[in-house]
Amino acid sequence: MKRRKFVQSWAFAGASLLTGSMLKARAAETSLSAAGKPFNLNYGVHDGMFKNHAGDDFVEQIKFAYDQGFRAIEDNGMASRTSDQQKKIADTLAKLGMAMGVFVQPGLSNDGNMLASGKADIVEKFIASCQQAVEVAKRINSKLVTVVPGDFDRKLPIGVQTGNVIEAIKKGTAVLEPHGIVMVLEPLSDNPDLFLRTPDQAYSICKAVGSPSCKILYDMYHVQRNQGNIIPTLNLVIDEIGYYQIGDNPGRNEPGTGEVNYKNIFKHIYAKGYKGVIGMEHGNAGKGKEGELALIKAYHEADSFM
């Protein structure tokens, strides 16, 4: 090949590579900027979900999430943060007009929160944890706290255990109700020792407690693992649902990575008139920035039911 033709060929190839890189970069930018419009439902991101784009600081992740169209957060570990961190997060949410979803009731583990036992010391700790939750909620402008009643007490009949849980929660709602704070009871699928496992079980407890400060946290990942039938079950208990969480199954990642048809579920929840936060309590299926972009895309696809 003559030198002139070689130079021309090299220049053309270089230009093609540059153009390809630029197009790829522009496509990524477009996918981010196009995501800035708010979603139909109010999905709440969590700490670490966008760390590859925004860094380890949760406040910066919140700002990034806002730019992608998300208008809420949830933070299970909020109660363990310093009061200064809590205030900084609350100020950021207020400035951006974003909502705060749930945080987990402070200070108690599943086995330490075994309300089914009816033991006085455990109930006292539970009441104290509700009082702590009030202080956290005030600092972060939140009205929702996740409560897990803990494990079964295998030495007691199930009816007695249920009665013990109801009585303990009544005492907890007496602390929360004057402040307009709602404890949302979460049925879980993590292990067979957990007392609260299904939405209908939580429903019966909420009805017995009879307080606006006791509702169901309807986590569809756990519902799918325990029993499936997500939409019909949702309809049966909907008047006691105070909050939703999501995660596809298997894998507990974003919608579209498992077997759950979240587009239909989101359409159903929207049609029911739900205006609250839907917590994104799941991981990212992909790694790095690409995984985060894929997550954003997945939410746009699942939310495109209008």
Side-chain angles (χ1 to χ4, degrees):
M1 183 184 292
K2 292 184 179 180
R3 183 176 184 277
R4 183 178 178 181
K5 289 185 177 180
F6 174 80
V7 171
Q8 287 176 338
S9 298
W10 182 88
F12 177 76
S16 298
L17 288 171
L18 181 61
T19 303
S21 298
M22 290 175 65
L23 288 173
K24 192 172 182 180
R26 286 176 182 172
E29 289 174 4
T30 301
S31 67
L32 288 177
S33 61
K37 181 182 177 182
F39 294 89
N40 292 308
L41 289 169
N42 198 9
Y43 309 109
V45 306
H46 64 77
D47 192 358
M49 188 161 272
F50 297 124
K51 66 180 181 180
N52 291 288
H53 275 94
D56 291 331
D57 187 343
F58 191 26
V59 167
E60 295 305 314
Q61 295 175 36
I62 292 169
K63 293 175 183 177
F64 175 84
Y66 177 88
D67 289 340
Q68 312 319 311
F70 297 99
R71 294 294 182 267
I73 72 164
E74 66 173 22
D75 187 24
N76 286 343
M78 180 65 78
S80 64
R81 296 182 186 273
T82 66
S83 57
D84 286 343
Q85 289 174 325
Q86 292 170 359
K87 186 177 184 304
K88 188 176 180 181
I89 291 169
D91 289 346
T92 302
L93 295 178
K95 184 177 179 179
L96 296 175
M98 296 176 71
M100 174 67 204
V102 295
F103 65 97
V104 172
Q105 175 181 270
L108 294 176
S109 60
N110 285 343
D111 55 352
N113 194 28
M114 202 164 75
L115 301 183
S117 71
K119 293 179 180 177
D121 60 331
I122 291 178
V123 175
E124 287 174 8
K125 288 178 182 178
F126 175 68
I127 294 170
S129 74
C130 290
Q131 293 167 339
Q132 294 172 37
V134 169
E135 298 308 311
V136 174
K138 287 179 180 178
R139 283 194 291 271
I140 61 174
N141 193 29
S142 174
K143 295 297 182 182
L144 293 158
V145 56
T146 302
V147 169
V148 176
D151 291 346
F152 284 105
D153 187 333
R154 303 289 182 180
K155 297 178 182 179
L156 296 175
I158 188 64
V160 172
Q161 293 184 65
T162 301
N164 288 339
V165 171
I166 290 167
E167 289 305 305
I169 290 174
K170 281 182 178 179
K171 293 175 181 178
T173 56
V175 175
L176 302 180
E177 195 172 323
H179 304 280
I181 299 170
V182 180
M183 70 165 70
V184 283
L185 305 178
E186 183 175 15
L188 297 173
S189 63
D190 299 318
N191 67 68
D193 291 324
L194 290 162
F195 173 82
L196 189 60
R197 299 187 61 81
T198 62
D200 61 286
Q201 184 188 9
Y203 183 83
S204 65
I205 293 171
C206 289
K207 289 298 185 186
V209 172
S211 168
S213 285
C214 179
K215 294 294 178 182
I216 300 169
L217 194 170
Y218 197 86
D219 187 324
M220 288 167 269
Y221 166 76
H222 290 298
V223 176
Q224 178 67 7
R225 292 187 73 208
N226 275 333
Q227 65 187 87
N229 219 27
I230 291 175
I231 290 177
T233 301
L234 185 158
N235 289 339
L236 288 173
V237 302
I238 193 167
D239 61 308
E240 293 293 345
I241 294 175
Y243 193 80
Y244 293 94
Q245 285 180 331
I246 55 182
D248 216 334
N249 182 66
R252 201 170 189 175
N253 290 313
E254 66 266 22
T257 57
E259 63 190 0
V260 181
N261 189 338
Y262 270 111
K263 188 171 185 177
N264 275 357
I265 293 171
F266 290 161
K267 181 179 180 180
H268 186 77
I269 292 173
Y270 183 87
K272 291 293 185 181
Y274 181 73
K275 303 296 184 184
V277 176
I278 298 179
M280 300 160 63
E281 196 184 35
H282 58 73
N284 297 11
K287 296 181 179 180
K289 290 185 176 182
E290 293 78 9
E292 293 173 1
L293 292 176
L295 182 147
I296 295 168
K297 182 181 178 182
Y299 271 91
H300 278 283
E301 290 177 350
D303 189 71
S304 62
F305 50 77
M306 297 294 286

